[in-house]
């Protein structure tokens, strides 16, 4: 399909600025594609004269499509938009910024790894007279379905939850992500963030511990729920580890902490989860009466279950008294 | 095969690779990465410094390029001439000038303006936005604080709220995220610890926190030897820097298995053309090249020039920075 170049169309009156840098190594300039050179030249010209117009807005869209990470153009686009909407009535402004949000969403779907988009979107939402969380949730869900650990999407989701001060969808959402991939550390971290903000009751925390135990039963050798479990005890249960949780963790360790390590004939058994052993070691290290068990756990980790961190485990042993 | 026999660092090839980057201007991709150019130049020069080959780049040309990135209207540095200034590119610009002992090629008023540019991006909660556009990230706290430190212009008014913000980014699992509550990530751990180190405030962390941080960091090593950035993710050479520098800052470097990590980094070299990639057999780039070499330098391998984990520049350069607090 034939596409008009900008110069032939609405920018016929604009003299594109050279996009060269004025530095000595300019022979390379020939390698810009003609379209990129022309679009950027016109953009530079419009920026130089501070033109904040509809056609300039359209132009920034085309430059962004070609060079999405060029943040100077994003800045320019934002200036244009602010200027174009400053004298609008409230309703008109809502329409205008909704249109922009639609444009952003479409761009996002085509450029999932671009992260400039999220801070740009934050600015639009902050300038929007009546932003709506419901509008944001589907695209956020879609983006995380596509790339379940995308750091910037998760961060933006947190920003949204705080901006709208609405935590009501989040435990369910985090659960759906854990359900899909129990190893997803981003989802577990999100769950902790939500829980801390919800200020749960003792009953709710008990339910939460049971939830984690189900996930560990499903896959015992998974660091995320074990770290999360410890986080729950430290943040909501004053690090008071009860017998239940000790027995639960022991299930995955073949009772290795009861073995006599002094006996030269002792053979370390296979265990289901090194993380459960580490969790136990931590609990055991908190009380004098169980220090010996902690030591055994660390020795097992050092020699057999996680030898790559031998120096770490050995340092833990040397600190036990 | 034992990792010790896995070969050595192909220094000469890496030097030639970095040198060649400057001559790749005949590709469209080169031009579409303008927005990272000054960072890329810093990565390249930093690698050359560790490889004792600083002279491969032309000092005068580079200083001219960096000064061309200085934005007179705002006082920051852009990634490329005529782009907008940004805190990330501002740090690279200042680092490059420092590496050439050329801070004084900026006038007094240009430096004042630069200091103002950096300070003007600090938010009420002590965090920094990358530019007036509002993206907040612990990364920008580090770039701001490190820049001010190299310019020797830190003040308690800037430092104290920044430290408060960093401490709020500490997570339940022993890591740090991009903002309070965000998932722990090895690169963010470096920017947080690095900030505290620059302003001599690592002691604001409790001993228990430091141990947890050390645990989280050494937990990043996977059985094959490489380091990942988050739990259950693939290893990547760039974390050799983010994780090791962080461990070094809290004096827990020995919790990593050096030989295994060394083997992983060396396996990521392009043996023909030089350069290091994120994982074995992938395409090399300057980012992974510098951070692979920096990791080896921190571990004391290959007779590289030692790198300062606080500033990500070699010690011969950072020793000349006046350290905060200034008395």
């Amino acid at each position: 399909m034939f596409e008009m170049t900008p110069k032939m169309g609405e920018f016929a009156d604009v003299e594109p600025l050279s996009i060269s840098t004025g530095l000595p190594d300019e022979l390379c300039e020939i390698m810009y594609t003609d379209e990129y050179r022309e679009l950027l030249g016109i953009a530079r010209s419009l920026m130089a004269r501070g033109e904040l117009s509809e056609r300039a807005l359209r132009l920034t869209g085309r430059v962004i499509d070609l060079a999405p990470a060029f943040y100077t153009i994003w800045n320019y686009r934002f200036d244009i938009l602010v200027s174009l909407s400053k004298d609008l009535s409230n309703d008109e402004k809502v329409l205008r910024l909704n249109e922009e949000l639609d444009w952003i969403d479409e761009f996002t779907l085509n450029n999932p790894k671009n992260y400039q988009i999220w801070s740009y979107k934050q600015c639009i939402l902050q300038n929007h007279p009546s932003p709506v969380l419901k509008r944001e949730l589907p695209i956020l869900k879609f983006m995380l379905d596509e790339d379940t650990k995308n750091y910037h999407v998760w961060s933006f989701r947190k920003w949204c939850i705080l901006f709208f001060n609405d935590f009501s969808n989040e435990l369910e959402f985090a659960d759906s992500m854990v359900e899909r991939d129990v190893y997803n550390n981003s989802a577990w971290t999100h769950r902790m963030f939500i829980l801390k903000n919800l200020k749960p009751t003792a009953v709710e925390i008990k339910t939460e511990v049971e939830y984690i135990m189900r996930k560990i039963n499903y896959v015992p050798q998974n660091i995320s729920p074990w770290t999360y479990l410890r986080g729950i005890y430290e943040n909501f249960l004053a690090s008071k580890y009860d017998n239940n949780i000790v027995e639960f963790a022991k299930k995955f360790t073949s009772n290795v902490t009861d073995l006599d390590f002094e006996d030269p004939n002792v053979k370390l058994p296979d265990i289901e989860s090194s993380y459960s052993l580490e969790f136990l070691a931590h609990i055991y290290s908190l009380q004098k009466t169980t220090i010996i068990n902690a030591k055994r756990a660390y020795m097992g980790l050092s020699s057999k279950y996680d030898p790559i961190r031998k120096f770490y485990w050995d340092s833990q042993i040397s600190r036990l008294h | 095969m034992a990792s010790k026999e896995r070969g050595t660092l192909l220094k000469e090839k890496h030097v030639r690779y970095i040198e060649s980057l400057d001559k790749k201007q005949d590709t469209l991709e080169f031009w579409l990465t303008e927005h990272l150019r000054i960072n890329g130049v810093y990565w390249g020069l930093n690698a050359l410094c560790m490889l004792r080959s600083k002279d491969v780049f032309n000092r005068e040309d580079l200083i001219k390029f960096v000064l061309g990135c200085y934005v007179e209207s705002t006082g920051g540095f852009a990634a490329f001439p005529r782009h907008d200034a940004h805190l990330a590119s501002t740090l690279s610009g200042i680092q490059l000038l420092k590496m050439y002992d050329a801070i004084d090629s900026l006038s007094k008023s240009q430096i004042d303006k630069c200091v103002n540019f950096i300070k003007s991006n600090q938010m009420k909660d002590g965090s920094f936005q990358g530019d007036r556009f509002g993206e907040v990230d612990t990364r920008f706290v580090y770039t701001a604080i490190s820049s001010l430190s190299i310019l020797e212009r830190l003040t308690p008014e800037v430092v104290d709220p920044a430290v408060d913000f960093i401490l709020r980014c500490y997570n339940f699992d022993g890591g740090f995220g991009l903002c309070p509550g965000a998932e722990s990530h090895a690169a963010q751990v470096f920017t947080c610890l690095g900030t505290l180190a620059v302003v001599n405030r690592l002691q604001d962390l409790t001993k228990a926190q430091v141990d947890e941080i050390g645990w989280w960091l050494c937990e990043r090593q996977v059985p094959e030897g490489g380091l990942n950035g988050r739990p259950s993710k693939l290893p990547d050479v760039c974390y050799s820097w983010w994780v090791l520098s962080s461990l070094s800052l809290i004096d827990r470097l020995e919790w990593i298995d050096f030989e295994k990590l060394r083997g992983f980094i060396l396996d990521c070299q392009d043996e023909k053309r030089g350069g290091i990639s994120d994982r074995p057999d992938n395409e090399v780039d300057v980012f992974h090249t510098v951070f692979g070499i920096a990791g080896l330098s921190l571990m004391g391998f290959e007779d590289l020039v030692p790198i300062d984990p606080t500033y990500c520049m070699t010690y011969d350069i950072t020793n000349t920075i006046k350290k905060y607090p200034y008395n």
Side-chain angles (χ1 to χ4, degrees):
Chain A
M1 197 180 82
F2 176 76
E3 193 174 358
M4 264 206 318
T5 74
K7 215 182 154 190
M8 298 161 161
E10 59 183 339
F11 297 101
D13 63 308
V14 182
E15 186 56 43
L17 278 185
S18 157
I19 55 176
S20 70
T21 60
L23 291 168
D25 50 14
E26 279 311 321
L27 61 136
C28 37
E29 216 194 298
I30 45 166
M31 296 315 295
Y32 286 103
T33 68
D34 286 345
E35 188 190 12
Y36 182 67
R37 180 211 299 271
E38 191 171 327
L39 283 170
L40 203 62
I42 292 170
R44 291 239 182 263
S45 185
L46 296 182
M47 284 159 81
R49 62 159 103 149
E51 178 171 325
L52 305 171
S53 63
E54 296 288 350
R55 67 174 186 176
L57 188 77
R58 283 190 290 275
L59 184 75
T60 59
R62 295 184 63 177
V63 175
I64 286 170
D65 278 338
L66 280 176
F70 185 13
Y71 57 83
T72 304
I73 288 291
W74 286 98
N75 282 349
Y76 180 41
R77 184 177 178 91
F78 188 69
D79 286 342
I80 298 170
L81 202 70
V82 168
S83 168
L84 291 179
S85 54
K86 73 173 187 295
D87 296 325
L88 296 177
S89 72
N90 200 59
D91 288 355
E92 288 168 333
K93 197 171 171 186
V94 169
L95 282 177
R96 176 99 228 192
L97 294 185
N98 280 349
E99 211 176 285
E100 186 67 1
L101 289 172
D102 290 341
W103 176 82
I104 297 171
D105 286 353
E106 195 185 322
F107 175 85
T108 308
L109 294 175
N110 294 323
N111 296 273
K113 284 286 178 193
N114 181 285
Y115 59 83
Q116 254 120 354
I117 192 75
W118 302 108
S119 57
Y120 183 76
K121 195 168 193 180
Q122 284 181 15
C123 286
I124 300 295
L125 289 171
Q126 282 166 329
N127 276 274
H128 196 293
S130 48
V132 184
L133 177 61
K134 265 210 164 77
R135 193 200 166 285
E136 298 308 315
L137 292 179
I139 178 105
L140 282 171
K141 179 173 179 336
F142 181 85
M143 294 297 290
L144 288 175
D145 278 344
E146 292 291 297
D147 179 3
T148 57
K149 299 175 182 177
N150 187 314
Y151 198 78
H152 288 94
V153 181
W154 279 106
S155 298
F156 179 71
R157 188 170 182 110
K158 285 193 180 72
W159 180 87
C160 266
I161 301 312
L162 292 171
F163 178 71
F164 290 101
N165 193 24
D166 182 350
F167 295 80
S168 58
N169 307 286
E170 295 310 289
L171 278 185
E172 200 184 327
F173 177 73
D175 177 45
S176 73
M177 295 302 284
V178 166
E179 190 62 34
R180 185 178 149 167
D181 174 12
V182 75
Y183 292 99
N184 188 337
N185 194 61
S186 308
W188 285 102
T189 303
H190 191 68
R191 196 173 175 90
M192 180 63 84
F193 164 77
I194 299 305
L195 216 60
K196 279 187 175 176
N197 278 281
L198 287 175
K199 306 208 182 340
T201 62
V203 175
E204 283 164 337
I205 286 298
K206 190 163 175 287
T207 313
E208 188 68 11
V209 170
E210 285 161 5
Y211 172 83
I212 306 165
M213 286 160 76
R214 281 201 302 281
K215 298 299 170 193
I216 290 174
N217 275 326
Y218 176 53
V219 181
Q221 181 61 358
N222 176 8
I223 188 170
S224 297
W226 285 107
T227 312
Y228 182 81
L229 180 61
R230 204 172 132 183
I232 292 290
Y233 271 87
E234 286 176 0
N235 280 283
F236 299 103
L237 295 165
S239 299
K240 291 206 168 62
Y241 297 93
D242 46 88
N243 235 346
N244 272 348
I245 206 71
V246 173
E247 289 306 314
F248 171 75
K250 279 184 81 170
K251 278 203 318 187
F252 308 102
T253 61
S254 309
N255 295 327
V256 70
T257 55
D258 297 335
L259 293 177
D260 179 7
F261 276 62
E262 307 288 310
D263 178 355
N265 295 320
V266 77
K267 194 168 176 304
L268 293 181
D270 288 337
I271 62 173
E272 274 190 84
S273 169
S274 64
Y275 304 121
S276 67
L277 189 56
E278 183 179 344
F279 181 81
L280 278 176
H282 173 70
I283 299 175
Y284 286 148
S285 72
L286 299 176
Q287 283 193 5
K288 270 206 157 24
T289 50
T290 49
I291 289 283
I292 180 67
N293 306 81
K295 190 175 173 191
R296 288 167 181 165
Y298 286 132
M299 285 168 76
L301 286 161
S302 175
S303 63
K304 181 172 166 92
Y305 305 116
D306 190 41
I308 201 163
R309 268 166 283 282
K310 180 180 184 340
F311 295 114
Y312 172 72
W313 303 124
D314 291 351
S315 81
Q316 295 304 102
I317 294 170
S318 70
R319 292 159 61 185
L320 293 172
H321 315 282
Chain B
M1 189 162 51
S3 55
K4 261 187 189 152
E5 295 158 27
R6 267 152 109 174
T8 55
L9 184 68
L10 305 166
K11 291 185 188 175
E12 189 52 33
K13 288 212 162 117
H14 298 319
V15 170
R16 295 284 87 84
Y17 165 73
I18 292 162
E19 188 180 23
S20 76
L21 290 174
D22 201 30
K23 303 186 167 67
K24 288 221 173 110
Q25 307 185 351
D26 55 347
T27 63
L28 179 63
E29 203 240 340
F30 180 88
W31 291 100
L32 291 183
T33 54
E34 271 179 10
H35 65 279
L36 276 174
R37 187 63 41 79
I38 202 167
N39 309 67
V41 174
Y42 155 69
W43 294 327
L45 183 63
N46 196 21
L48 291 175
C49 285
M50 286 182 280
L51 293 164
R52 301 176 205 276
S53 301
K54 202 172 168 180
D55 296 342
V56 165
F57 281 173
N58 181 307
R59 180 179 189 273
E60 303 314 316
D61 284 355
L62 264 192
I63 292 175
K64 195 172 168 200
F65 167 74
V66 173
L67 294 179
C69 293
Y70 181 78
V71 184
E72 284 291 344
S73 59
T74 53
F77 288 82
F80 199 72
R82 294 205 315 226
H83 286 212
D84 286 353
H86 192 283
L87 280 183
S89 38
T90 296
L91 175 59
S92 293
I94 292 171
Q95 282 171 318
L96 282 166
L97 292 179
K98 183 73 190 172
M99 289 157 100
Y100 282 124
D101 192 20
I103 296 284
D104 59 7
S105 60
L106 293 169
S107 70
K108 168 94 173 52
S109 78
Q110 281 176 319
I111 292 178
D112 287 346
K113 256 202 293 193
C114 187
V115 169
N116 285 338
F117 168 76
I118 297 165
K119 289 183 176 175
S120 71
N121 280 304
Q122 191 167 28
M123 318 294 281
K124 266 186 282 181
D125 63 0
S127 68
F128 282 82
Q129 54 184 358
D131 54 19
R132 66 180 183 90
F133 209 38
E135 188 192 354
V136 167
D137 186 327
T138 43
R139 197 159 58 94
F140 304 139
V141 181
Y142 176 79
T143 51
I145 294 295
S146 186
S147 298
L148 290 173
S149 169
I150 297 169
L151 295 173
E152 304 180 354
R153 295 287 290 272
L154 287 165
T155 59
E157 293 74 31
V158 174
V159 168
D160 295 345
V163 168
D164 291 344
F165 178 77
I166 292 290
L167 295 175
R168 285 176 53 220
C169 295
Y170 178 74
N171 276 327
F172 70 96
D173 59 5
F176 290 84
L178 153 160
C179 61
E183 185 184 6
S184 296
H185 187 294
Q188 309 294 343
V189 175
F190 164 76
T191 59
C192 291
L193 294 181
T195 301
L196 295 176
V198 166
V199 300
N200 195 20
R201 293 281 290 274
L202 280 168
Q203 69 274 14
D204 282 33
L205 296 167
T206 65
K207 184 162 182 315
Q209 281 177 325
V210 171
D211 282 339
E212 288 295 312
I213 295 166
W215 169 80
W216 190 88
L217 288 165
C218 77
E219 186 64 42
R220 305 279 56 75
Q221 190 164 29
V222 302
E224 299 76 38
L227 305 169
N228 62 19
R230 293 183 265 167
S232 309
K233 297 275 283 185
L234 291 172
D236 179 322
V237 158
C238 73
Y239 296 112
S240 309
W241 168 257
W242 308 115
V243 173
L244 288 184
S245 60
S246 300
L247 281 167
S248 173
L249 290 174
I250 57 170
D251 205 15
R252 303 283 193 282
L253 203 50
E254 72 281 2
W255 286 357
I256 291 291
D257 186 324
F258 281 9
E259 279 301 334
K260 283 201 159 171
L261 176 57
R262 171 175 181 264
F264 176 77
I265 297 172
L266 294 180
D267 281 352
C268 293
Q269 299 181 104
D270 182 330
E271 295 184 357
K272 285 206 184 98
R273 298 184 308 130
I276 299 175
S277 56
D278 57 350
R279 281 184 277 285
D281 302 322
N282 283 356
E283 196 66 30
V284 302
D285 59 57
V286 66
F287 177 82
H288 291 92
T289 302
V290 66
F291 289 131
I293 294 172
L296 293 170
S297 169
L298 280 173
M299 292 188 286
F301 288 126
E302 309 288 346
D303 187 33
L304 295 161
V305 177
I307 189 157
D308 184 339
T310 303
Y311 289 99
C312 200
M313 293 188 287
T314 50
Y315 274 111
D316 53 308
I317 295 159
T318 62
N319 281 342
T320 67
I321 300 170
K322 187 168 71 174
K323 302 299 188 304
Y324 183 86
Y326 301 136
N327 305 319

